[in-house]
Amino acid sequence: MIHHQHDIVIIGAGLAGLRAALETSRVADTALLTKVYPSRSHSGGAQGGIAASLANESDDNWELHMFDTVKGSDYLGDQDAIEILVKEAPATVIELEHMGVPFSRNANGTIAQRRFGGHSRPRACYASDYTGHVILHTLYEQGVKQGVEVYSEFYVVSLIMNKGNCCGVVALDILSGELHLFHSKAVMFATGGYGRAYKITSNAHANTGDGLSIVYRVDIPIEDMEFVQFHPTGLYKHGILVTEGARGEGGYLLNKDGERFMKNYAPEKMELAPRDLTSRAMQTEMNEGRGIEGKDYIHIDLRHLGAAKILERLPQIHELALNFVGVDCTKEPIPIQPTAHYSMGGIPTDNHGQVVIDKDNTPVKGLYAAGECACVSVHGGNRLGTNSLLEATLFGQRAGEAMAELVQREKEFTPLPENPAQPAEKEIATILENEGKESVAQIREELQVSMTDNCGIFRDEKKLKKELEIVKSLQERYKHIHIDDKGMRCNTDLMEALELGHLLDFAEVIVAGALNRTESRGSHYRIDYPKRDDENWLKHTLAYRTDKGPRFDYKKVVITRYQPTERKY
Ligand SMILES: Cc1cc2nc3c(=O)[nH]c(=O)nc-3n(C[C@H](O)[C@H](O)[C@H](O)COP(=O)(O)OP(=O)(O)OC[C@H]3O[C@@H](n4cnc5c(N)ncnc54)[C@H](O)[C@@H]3O)c2cc1C
């Protein structure tokens, strides 16, 4: 076991982790741990844009952005947090620009902005369709310049707590297979989303929601896990994303009759309705036999935009469609289907990124989270496109500020408990020594397929109960896995087994939470309870781990400016 001491340990090198590290490393000794090389973090896959009411294309202001976000969240977003998000958005984007992010420009030199679903004004700042890629690389460059200490390809396995305070993590050096113990005054999770719990997903292979499960295992709740966003436009059979920017630029959604069917679901917003509504509309078309050739896909048609505009604004989409489905989108429509995309829920935090453990927002000393793994909650029941890059950067910065303040105030490290690495050592030894008959790949496949079938866009009691049984039986089978590679160097078998353990932990919370919430709100749609029920369910879910499955408690939604009303587009 190799020991390290750093004031601050940040896990994850996407936008949230990198932005936080830039803040903390100015004043404190910071270690940044990441299981994939920093510039391979999923933030780099973001295509469409980052929201800010810069008003470069039309009138706009933070209040309009706030109302759109609150309405988009189906009134489950906490309005104090949303107000911070939208008010600080312009400064966040301008800071990124000053760091060197090469945003696309208007002829007059201002940052170009395009339309996105659920936003009433064009406010997505973009760099053609490589927005996340350029922000990630710019932040990483800044980190290198500032000397942030990066432990690349270190896989965090467990969190170290002592009497309710957080004092470090245990990580596996993937290359050597050695375990490292990091003792710190503050730990921040910036471990991203969990799309890999589903078969059809836009998410990177690394998006296995490790952070959620690691905190859940030490008696910290996870919030609003039943809210899973399905993005309407994933490439058919692959789930790879076709950015909403494609519709922002004017793309049409067509059914088998060539009809722009969104007129029947959201006559005002059409293709730019929010994602929850658009995905349900597409799924309904397919369920009722109006998918292309009667199958489970729809077309997105960009041809009328013209080749020049497509190649300038959406070059990546052009290339992805060509490479993965063999379609030249300047000449033909692209086959698409909804794809698991984003997790609205996550590790509960206050507005400074500090993790809280109950409905009274009692903080956990030394523990922080930001970005997609966190639930502040600015997205409530449904996230609007382009608000996530914003959230990751802005709340990453805020968590960084809070940690910098903490470690300057606290002179001493919280002492380590006895045997701090024992849970990690035991978990790894069990996987390596197990000689069961079950295969990791097989269990993962069954989980992903059944989650897509039973806990997807449309849910009901029967399917959810069935899925809960499936997840529990897969958890049982997981105890009897074996892996072929028993070595320690670069053991990807071992990593995949650890990741599967995480997927199985929080998938149960997603399904049990969905079964528990007997209403429809945002991305969570129950066929058997099709109405939103503010009287009983205008509240956040907190799920705590017990041996029998999650125990639920609830937290009030913060409402400041906008009372819930019916949501129409
Ligand atoms: C295809 C795609 C397109 C998108 N487009 C947009 C868009 O246009 N606009 C928008 O606002 N949002 C978009 N999103 C959402 C947005 O990109 C993400 O929510 C956001 O980038 C998440 O950033 P993050 O810093 O929280 O995590 P990520 O960028 O996902 O980074 C997670 C980090 O955690 C590390 N990590 C995870 N587990 C461990 C572990 N056990 N040990 C060590 N390290 C670990 C990883 O190595 C990685 O560095 C898109 C998402 C996808 C998938």
Side-chain angles (χ1 to χ4, degrees), residues 57-93:
E57 311 284 337
S58 74
D59 68 309
D60 200 3
N61 58 53
W62 67 261
E63 279 159 304
L64 290 169
H65 189 183
M66 177 160 177
F67 178 70
D68 292 343
T69 304
V70 171
K71 182 178 173 187
S73 81
D74 220 346
Y75 295 90
L76 191 71
D78 287 325
Q79 296 185 14
D80 55 342
I82 296 175
E83 190 165 331
I84 294 170
L85 182 85
V86 298
K87 275 188 174 163
E88 293 183 11
T92 300
V93 167

Side-chain angles (χ1 to χ4, degrees), residues 159-314:
L159 190 59
I160 309 173
M161 302 290 290
N162 194 357
K163 302 195 182 87
N165 300 329
C166 178
C167 47
V169 297
V170 178
L172 180 76
D173 175 358
I174 298 169
L175 187 60
S176 69
E178 283 165 325
L179 277 182
H180 292 242
L181 188 152
F182 292 83
H183 187 194
S184 65
K185 294 180 192 166
V187 168
M188 172 183 164
F189 278 85
T191 44
Y194 59 64
R196 287 283 150 184
Y198 287 83
K199 180 74 187 159
I200 298 292
T201 176
S202 66
N203 280 201
H205 286 276
N207 285 17
T208 48
D210 303 333
L212 300 170
S213 175
I214 291 171
V215 301
Y216 184 58
R217 287 176 185 178
V218 293
D219 300 327
I220 292 168
I222 40 182
E223 182 174 345
D224 288 344
M225 290 293 289
E226 59 271 32
F227 293 97
V228 181
Q229 177 163 83
F230 295 88
H231 193 295
T233 57
L235 287 181
Y236 183 45
K237 290 194 174 157
H238 298 276
I240 296 170
L241 196 70
V242 174
T243 174
E244 194 170 286
R247 282 170 286 139
E249 295 294 352
Y252 299 150
L253 294 177
L254 305 175
N255 63 16
K256 79 171 177 17
D257 305 318
E259 181 195 19
R260 283 179 71 190
F261 57 85
M262 285 307 294
K263 68 177 190 295
N264 305 322
Y265 301 88
E268 276 184 32
K269 290 267 182 198
M270 295 292 288
E271 281 85 357
L272 289 176
R275 291 177 180 172
D276 53 344
L277 211 145
T278 311
S279 288
R280 281 199 290 277
M282 283 173 55
Q283 193 64 47
T284 306
E285 290 296 301
M286 298 187 284
N287 291 353
E288 293 177 0
R290 292 186 296 278
I292 308 299
E293 299 173 335
K295 293 193 189 150
D296 54 348
Y297 69 94
I298 291 286
H299 273 150
I300 181 164
D301 195 351
L302 306 178
R303 289 172 296 184
H304 56 285
L305 304 179
K309 188 168 179 182
I310 292 174
L311 295 177
E312 183 206 325
R313 304 274 176 91
L314 304 163

